């Protein structure tokens, strides 16, 4: 096979349990199709600008490493939250990047990430177009938030949803074992999109009643209505369990958690650092009902609990990476791999590639009609959509009682 | 086989991931040895006083149910935090209990629980002794805290330790993927005994550096020293990870988390409701270092994450229940089953029964010599002690993508 040039792949934004499966998909498919060197940028585009990259074949040495990497949470290559300035504002950054890529004979560039990472791919591919570069830039979707536009869902979501639903079942079983009154408020990630919080509803099954209330950021949060709902539920229930998004906001547009904080940290993309919603609300409930309340925060565990991934998610993450390589080899650029759902039952999807300009910086929220009960639960349609995404397991490789991970030695 | 009389079994205190395995051990061994009816008290002794009990054979109908029950977290029968008054103070409570037991022809009474539950067994067996009752009272040890006296370790601890170590590995991998400075403070349960927090050290392995600092409640917590340690670590590390017990106290005997709270709830045993240590300390670090800090709290997940149990713990929990039945059938009463360690490598233990009067209300802490580095880490001896307890897995039974549990229909 004639050499096709080299590959550069990076991971960006918040990691997931399956982001390395997409990396494996890129690596293996590129190698299988004759690409010579697959470089991995350390800490995404930020690292690449400092010429920090590795030859991935030095770290993925055999098929066991490939399987181990699929079972490794967080970004194997390291991640970043670097916002690429526009080419008009900082042409020197683009010149530097393209100089590095040319020096390494890179012809294919893959970036595994969420909304902000797709913005990076968009800017790079548009720049390449402008200067007549033949380097192809492809986005591989990744985010536990499931908020990327156009695609049916996003690799990373299924595993986070599975973790949330499984942990909710366990928390509910724990809370209901006591004969004494209690309220449990569970805080779930997701900023402006309620997909992850909605996944708490998946815990509802023959052997579990599910949470009593689910509050998504798509609807305005009203403290009085919330308190009233809780008081109603307390009439017939010893233990009440609430799932709430970290991103719920009151009518004035303020995050509920802001009420609790003196200063809120903002990242380079202008996103506020959220958190504290569950503790704030459980204190609010204790004060107003006198009932013992507990706030539970899944925190980073929902994006890194690779010991409990969805097999389907792992497989689809791999596919997204693999298909991005195939598309690039076929001459495509400036696109992201998307999933289109053919049917819920039996579950069937196809993949496609889609213009990155129509995806980047768009946010996909939970459809209005899927939010029911006056904004306190999600519908059967959500269950039919999300349930297939959490099916199947991939057992960790256990060493000395713990899941083994693949790692880059310093 | 001649009928031996009936059995009453209950679960009490905070649940664990393997407490139902002890229940299975009691149930199966009692049945196999000719006991007629095995009653389960709903919500422990508190429920029994209201004559709330079930015939367990109605709910554990076959061998599949037994396997399912082993995989079910939290107390299948429900739990309580009821403090039995002394027989001198409230003879009528004892009269009522013994009346109920007599009515049901109960000859063997088993209570699966921690320190407070062993106090219950002690009082009941002493009372039985006083009135010449032939009912035998046996304690089956259970607590994630591992703080029961005399026994080498306690069923429930191994699985909680495994969860903590596995989650720590994942959290560390997540934290270290970013190129930016961060401090992560992980709060772990355990009140006055540091066993659970120490388990964070088990995450240290070929593929993980482990947490940088570990603070147990056995040592006085000093804010200034803590800050200094962090500042030292920050010189050479981008991400610093700290494991801290919810029960750490400052020199004045106050819980660190109390600094953050206006009112602390106290339960019927006089235990203060803890929590908030991680958030308080991460705010403290951000204020004093300017570095982004995150508090992560395992909360109830460390005692109910039955999707990730230690196989050895499950087996030993069953054995503790089974051996309590054998001991009672042999005429023993007023005792708790204990484990004695024969060797660490290869791991070997034997069980025995031990006078409950010498166990109840004693608290076993981490040995002084196992706490090293000026109270900021645990020694190799701890690893050798705890590592064998987290070995092996018991796969959940997955239905629709989630672990299935056995439950009592209302």
């Amino acid at each position: 096979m004639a050499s096709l040039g080299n590959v550069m792949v990076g991971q960006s934004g918040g990691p997931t349990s399956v982001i390395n499966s997409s990396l494996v998909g890129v690596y293996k498919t590129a190698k299988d199709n004759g690409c010579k060197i697959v470089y991995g940028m350390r800490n995404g585009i930020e690292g690449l600008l400092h010429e920090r990259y590795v030859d991935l074949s030095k770290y993925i040495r055999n098929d066991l490493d490939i399987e181990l990497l699929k079972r490794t949470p967080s970004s194997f290559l390291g991640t970043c939250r670097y916002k690429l300035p526009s080419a008009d504002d900082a042409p020197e950054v683009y010149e530097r990047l393209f100089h590095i890529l040319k020096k390494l004979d890179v012809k294919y560039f893959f970036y595994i990430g969420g909304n902000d990472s797709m913005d990076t791919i968009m800017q790079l591919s548009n720049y390449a177009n402008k200067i007549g570069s033949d380097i192809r830039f492809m986005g591989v979707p990744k985010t536990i938030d499931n908020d990327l536009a156009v695609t049916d869902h996003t690799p990373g979501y299924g595993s986070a949803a599975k973790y949330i639903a499984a942990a909710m079942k366990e928390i509910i079983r724990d809370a209901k074992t006591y004969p004494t009154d209690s309220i449990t408020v569970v805080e779930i990630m997701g900023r402006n999109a309620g997909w992850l919080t909605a996944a708490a509803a998946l815990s509802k099954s023959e052997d579990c009643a599910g949470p009593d209330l689910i509050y998504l950021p798509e609807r305005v949060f009203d403290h009085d209505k919330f308190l009233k709902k809780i008081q109603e539920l307390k009439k017939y229930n010893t233990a009440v369990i609430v799932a709430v998004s970290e991103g719920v906001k009151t009518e004035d547009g303020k995050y509920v958690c802001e009420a609790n904080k003196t200063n809120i940290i903002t990242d380079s993309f202008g996103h506020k650092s959220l958190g504290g919603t569950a503790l704030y609300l459980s204190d609010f409930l204790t004060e107003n009902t006198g009932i013992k309340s507990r706030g539970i925060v899944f925190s980073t565990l929902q994006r890194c609990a690779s010991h409990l991934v969805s097999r389907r998610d792992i497989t689809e993450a791999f596919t997204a990476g693999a298909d991005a390589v195939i598309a690039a080899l076929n001459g495509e650029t400036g696109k992201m791999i998307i999933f289109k759902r053919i049917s819920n039952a039996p579950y069937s999807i196809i993949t496609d590639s889609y213009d990155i300009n129509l995806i980047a910086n768009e946010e996909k929220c939970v459809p209005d009609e899927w939010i029911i009960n006056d904004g306190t639960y999600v519908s059967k349609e959500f269950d039919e959509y999300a349930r297939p995404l959490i099916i199947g397991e991939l057992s960790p490789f256990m060493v000395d009682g713990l899941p083994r991970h693949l790692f880059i030695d310093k």
Side-chain angles (χ1 to χ4, degrees), chain A residues 237-288:
Chain A
N237 296 277
T238 309
V240 168
I241 291 100
V242 184
V244 63
S245 166
E246 63 175 7
V248 286
K249 289 175 180 171
T250 44
E251 199 159 14
D252 56 4
K254 278 198 174 155
Y255 289 110
V256 168
C257 64
E258 286 186 76
N260 221 13
K261 291 195 170 187
T262 42
N263 51 26
I264 301 256
I265 295 169
T266 303
D267 74 7
S268 58
F269 289 90
H271 306 317
K272 285 179 180 173
S273 163
L274 304 180
T277 311
L279 297 180
Y280 169 75
L281 288 179
S282 70
D283 280 352
F284 167 79
L285 290 173
T286 302
E287 268 167 41
N288 286 280

Side-chain angles (χ1 to χ4, degrees), chain A residues 287-308:
Chain A
E287 268 167 41
N288 286 280
T289 65
I291 296 163
K292 187 179 172 177
S293 306
R294 184 197 287 270
I296 295 180
V297 187
F298 287 145
S299 193
T300 51
L301 285 165
Q302 59 206 298
R303 73 178 185 211
C304 66
S306 64
H307 70 269
L308 185 70

Side-chain angles (χ1 to χ4, degrees), chain A residues 143-204:
Chain A
T143 166
I144 59 166
D145 291 347
N146 201 38
D147 60 351
L148 281 177
V150 187
T151 187
D152 175 77
H153 61 278
T154 315
Y157 175 63
S159 294
K162 188 186 185 88
Y163 175 82
I164 288 164
M168 278 303 296
K169 270 191 88 163
E170 293 170 339
I171 285 170
I172 291 169
R173 196 153 295 280
D174 182 280
K176 295 201 172 181
T177 193
Y178 287 96
T180 40
D181 281 321
S182 72
I183 308 168
T184 306
V185 182
V186 183
E187 176 180 326
I188 300 173
M189 281 184 173
R191 197 166 295 275
N192 302 317
W195 297 105
L196 281 175
T197 308
L202 299 174
S203 64
K204 195 171 173 175

Side-chain angles (χ1 to χ4, degrees), chain A residues 90-268:
Chain A
E92 71 285 1
V93 172
Y94 289 78
E95 281 155 23
R96 174 152 181 73
L97 272 174
F98 277 77
H99 170 75
I100 295 167
L101 295 177
K102 193 175 176 185
K103 198 171 69 177
L104 297 172
D105 193 26
V106 166
K107 294 283 183 230
Y108 311 99
F109 184 106
F110 302 96
Y111 215 37
I112 308 166
N115 250 318
D116 302 326
S117 312
M118 293 309 127
D119 177 81
T120 298
I121 282 291
M122 181 179 74
Q123 301 212 53
L124 289 173
S125 60
N126 291 345
Y127 182 82
N129 206 23
K130 205 175 80 182
I131 63 166
S133 161
D134 63 350
I135 303 176
R136 289 148 199 175
F137 292 88
M138 290 291 296
V140 181
K142 171 278 339 175
T143 166
I144 59 166
D145 291 347
N146 201 38
D147 60 351
L148 281 177
V150 187
T151 187
D152 175 77
H153 61 278
T154 315
Y157 175 63
S159 294
K162 188 186 185 88
Y163 175 82
I164 288 164
M168 278 303 296
K169 270 191 88 163
E170 293 170 339
I171 285 170
I172 291 169
R173 196 153 295 280
D174 182 280
K176 295 201 172 181
T177 193
Y178 287 96
T180 40
D181 281 321
S182 72
I183 308 168
T184 306
V185 182
V186 183
E187 176 180 326
I188 300 173
M189 281 184 173
R191 197 166 295 275
N192 302 317
W195 297 105
L196 281 175
T197 308
L202 299 174
S203 64
K204 195 171 173 175
S205 44
E206 279 176 5
D207 57 338
C208 181
D212 297 289
L213 300 168
I214 300 176
Y215 289 95
L216 308 191
E218 280 83 355
R219 292 292 175 85
V220 167
F221 186 85
D222 183 305
H223 286 76
D224 292 338
K225 279 190 187 168
F226 174 56
L227 182 59
K228 222 172 134 186
K229 278 273 180 196
I230 294 284
Q231 283 164 334
E232 268 169 45
L233 280 162
K234 283 308 305 174
K235 286 182 198 162
Y236 311 103
N237 296 277
T238 309
V240 168
I241 291 100
V242 184
V244 63
S245 166
E246 63 175 7
V248 286
K249 289 175 180 171
T250 44
E251 199 159 14
D252 56 4
K254 278 198 174 155
Y255 289 110
V256 168
C257 64
E258 286 186 76
N260 221 13
K261 291 195 170 187
T262 42
N263 51 26
I264 301 256
I265 295 169
T266 303
D267 74 7
S268 58

